[in-house]
mmCIF file of all heavy atoms in Angstrom:
data_model
loop_
_atom_site.group_PDB
_atom_site.id
_atom_site.type_symbol
_atom_site.label_atom_id
_atom_site.label_comp_id
_atom_site.label_asym_id
_atom_site.label_seq_id
_atom_site.Cartn_x
_atom_site.Cartn_y
_atom_site.Cartn_z
ATOM 1 N N HIS L 254 19.944 4.874 -6.219
ATOM 2 C CA HIS L 254 20.643 5.576 -7.318
ATOM 3 C C HIS L 254 22.103 5.805 -7.051
ATOM 4 O O HIS L 254 22.857 6.057 -7.987
ATOM 5 C CB HIS L 254 19.961 6.922 -7.537
ATOM 6 C CG HIS L 254 18.485 6.787 -7.618
ATOM 7 N ND1 HIS L 254 17.867 5.858 -8.451
ATOM 8 C CD2 HIS L 254 17.476 7.423 -6.979
ATOM 9 C CE1 HIS L 254 16.571 5.951 -8.305
ATOM 10 N NE2 HIS L 254 16.305 6.869 -7.396
ATOM 11 N N LYS L 267 34.433 6.658 8.917
ATOM 12 C CA LYS L 267 34.080 7.594 9.993
ATOM 13 C C LYS L 267 33.938 6.857 11.305
ATOM 14 O O LYS L 267 34.397 7.325 12.362
ATOM 15 C CB LYS L 267 32.756 8.288 9.669
ATOM 16 C CG LYS L 267 32.828 9.393 8.634
ATOM 17 C CD LYS L 267 31.443 10.025 8.465
ATOM 18 C CE LYS L 267 31.395 10.924 7.232
ATOM 19 N NZ LYS L 267 30.002 11.394 6.958
ATOM 20 N N PHE L 279 36.395 -1.090 17.590
ATOM 21 C CA PHE L 279 35.449 -1.374 16.498
ATOM 22 C C PHE L 279 35.731 -2.819 16.076
ATOM 23 O O PHE L 279 36.324 -3.076 15.032
ATOM 24 C CB PHE L 279 35.694 -0.420 15.346
ATOM 25 C CG PHE L 279 34.543 -0.305 14.355
ATOM 26 C CD1 PHE L 279 33.247 -0.051 14.803
ATOM 27 C CD2 PHE L 279 34.786 -0.434 12.999
ATOM 28 C CE1 PHE L 279 32.206 0.036 13.886
ATOM 29 C CE2 PHE L 279 33.733 -0.323 12.082
ATOM 30 C CZ PHE L 279 32.457 -0.093 12.525
ATOM 31 N N GLU L 288 27.546 -2.621 9.624
ATOM 32 C CA GLU L 288 27.330 -2.772 8.170
ATOM 33 C C GLU L 288 25.887 -3.201 7.871
ATOM 34 O O GLU L 288 25.256 -2.712 6.938
ATOM 35 C CB GLU L 288 28.285 -3.805 7.584
ATOM 36 C CG GLU L 288 29.709 -3.323 7.436
ATOM 37 C CD GLU L 288 30.699 -4.436 7.149
ATOM 38 O OE1 GLU L 288 30.347 -5.637 7.322
ATOM 39 O OE2 GLU L 288 31.832 -4.130 6.753
ATOM 40 N N HIS L 294 19.937 1.453 3.962
ATOM 41 C CA HIS L 294 19.434 2.827 3.964
ATOM 42 C C HIS L 294 17.981 2.923 4.387
ATOM 43 O O HIS L 294 17.230 3.753 3.901
ATOM 44 C CB HIS L 294 19.574 3.462 2.568
ATOM 45 C CG HIS L 294 20.861 4.176 2.410
ATOM 46 N ND1 HIS L 294 21.288 5.155 3.245
ATOM 47 C CD2 HIS L 294 21.833 4.017 1.476
ATOM 48 C CE1 HIS L 294 22.468 5.580 2.830
ATOM 49 N NE2 HIS L 294 22.839 4.892 1.795
ATOM 50 N N GLN L 307 22.624 -14.812 11.726
ATOM 51 C CA GLN L 307 22.490 -16.261 11.881
ATOM 52 C C GLN L 307 22.806 -16.993 10.588
ATOM 53 O O GLN L 307 23.006 -18.212 10.609
ATOM 54 C CB GLN L 307 21.107 -16.604 12.416
ATOM 55 C CG GLN L 307 20.990 -16.288 13.908
ATOM 56 C CD GLN L 307 19.593 -16.448 14.463
ATOM 57 O OE1 GLN L 307 18.614 -16.364 13.711
ATOM 58 N NE2 GLN L 307 19.481 -16.636 15.756
ATOM 59 N N ARG L 311 25.608 -19.498 14.475
ATOM 60 C CA ARG L 311 24.693 -19.267 15.576
ATOM 61 C C ARG L 311 24.840 -17.849 16.149
ATOM 62 O O ARG L 311 25.921 -17.282 16.153
ATOM 63 C CB ARG L 311 24.981 -20.282 16.692
ATOM 64 C CG ARG L 311 23.835 -20.453 17.646
ATOM 65 C CD ARG L 311 24.163 -21.427 18.765
ATOM 66 N NE ARG L 311 24.272 -22.828 18.240
ATOM 67 C CZ ARG L 311 24.532 -23.833 19.035
ATOM 68 N NH1 ARG L 311 24.704 -23.669 20.320
ATOM 69 N NH2 ARG L 311 24.628 -25.059 18.516
#
Side-chain angles (χ1 to χ4, degrees):
Chain L
H254 312 309
K267 283 182 193 173
F279 198 52
E288 286 168 344
H294 269 305
Q307 284 173 337
R311 199 182 291 182

